[in-house]
Amino acid sequence: LVRVYKPPVLGRKYIIFTDPSMGIEDPFVTVVMDAVTGEGVCTATGMIPATQVGAIHDQLVRNYNNAYNTGEVNAQAGQSFIDALTSMNTPNQAPRRSVEGKIIKGKKGWVTAQPLREKSLADLKEAVRTQLITVHDRDAIEEFRYFTTVVVNEETGKVKAVGKLHDDWIMAWAGAWQIRKY
């Protein structure tokens, strides 16, 4: 489940973002990013329940120098994931923020619905275009490739993944890139 590309280095700062799952229809994805270089130093993915995803996330946070962290809180998987982090007292959790970046007091986890989703994807696109991130994981690279072929709903103008393909890697990277700002 966990793929380490570079072990933690004492004194370095890391960011962790997880796109959780219930382990039924799609996988969870966790990205550990070096906060300075934008390099993905560790990832995790698999089909397991959100509470187990939370345990993996918590351990990675602690291993990577109490990394600044959060995850997607959309739907049941997201809430179960955030509840797991709360019960484990996961350190250094990022507060929920609005699209404008303002802290939403008393809330954990990021709601990656519109319009935050569009902002996150636009910012990730720019980070990829300007080579500010380094992705080592083949699964992530493959999803980045097919995600460039998008479907835009003509009525809403919203972007979505093609067909039945998932956006878990994309959203985990986009989330990590967003919380890096803070």
Side-chain angles (χ1 to χ4, degrees), residues 2-3 25 38 52 56 79 128 154 179:
V2 177
R3 304 165 183 168
E25 294 179 9
Q52 291 176 5
I56 290 170
Q79 192 57 57
V128 170
E154 292 180 14
I179 69 168

Side-chain angles (χ1 to χ4, degrees), residues 119-132:
K119 179 174 179 15
S120 298
L121 291 174
D123 289 353
L124 179 62
K125 177 182 174 182
E126 185 63 14
V128 170
R129 187 187 71 75
T130 56
Q131 300 178 0
L132 295 176

Side-chain angles (χ1 to χ4, degrees), residues 75-89:
Q76 181 184 359
Q79 192 57 57
S80 294
F81 169 75
I82 293 299
D83 289 348
L85 297 185
T86 301
S87 72
M88 291 180 282
N89 293 319

Side-chain angles (χ1 to χ4, degrees), residues 21-134:
S21 163
M22 292 306 279
I24 299 167
E25 294 179 9
D26 63 344
F28 83 92
V29 173
T30 299
V31 170
V32 182
M33 176 191 294
D34 184 302
V36 174
T37 66
E39 180 178 17
V41 296
C42 179
T43 61
T45 189
M47 300 285 279
I48 59 174
T51 53
Q52 291 176 5
V53 173
I56 290 170
H57 178 102
D58 178 79
Q59 190 63 52
L60 289 172
V61 166
R62 294 171 193 279
N63 287 350
Y64 279 88
N65 304 337
N66 287 340
Y68 192 59
N69 72 96
T70 194
E72 186 179 271
V73 73
N74 302 8
Q76 181 184 359
Q79 192 57 57
S80 294
F81 169 75
I82 293 299
D83 289 348
L85 297 185
T86 301
S87 72
M88 291 180 282
N89 293 319
T90 300
N92 215 7
Q93 288 185 60
R96 186 175 301 172
R97 292 187 182 263
S98 68
V99 175
E100 298 81 24
K102 295 184 179 172
I103 292 174
I104 300 171
K105 294 187 186 248
K107 298 286 185 176
K108 299 284 184 179
W110 281 34
V111 178
T112 57
Q114 306 301 344
L116 184 58
R117 177 182 168 86
E118 293 301 318
K119 179 174 179 15
S120 298
L121 291 174
D123 289 353
L124 179 62
K125 177 182 174 182
E126 185 63 14
V128 170
R129 187 187 71 75
T130 56
Q131 300 178 0
L132 295 176
I133 63 171
T134 303

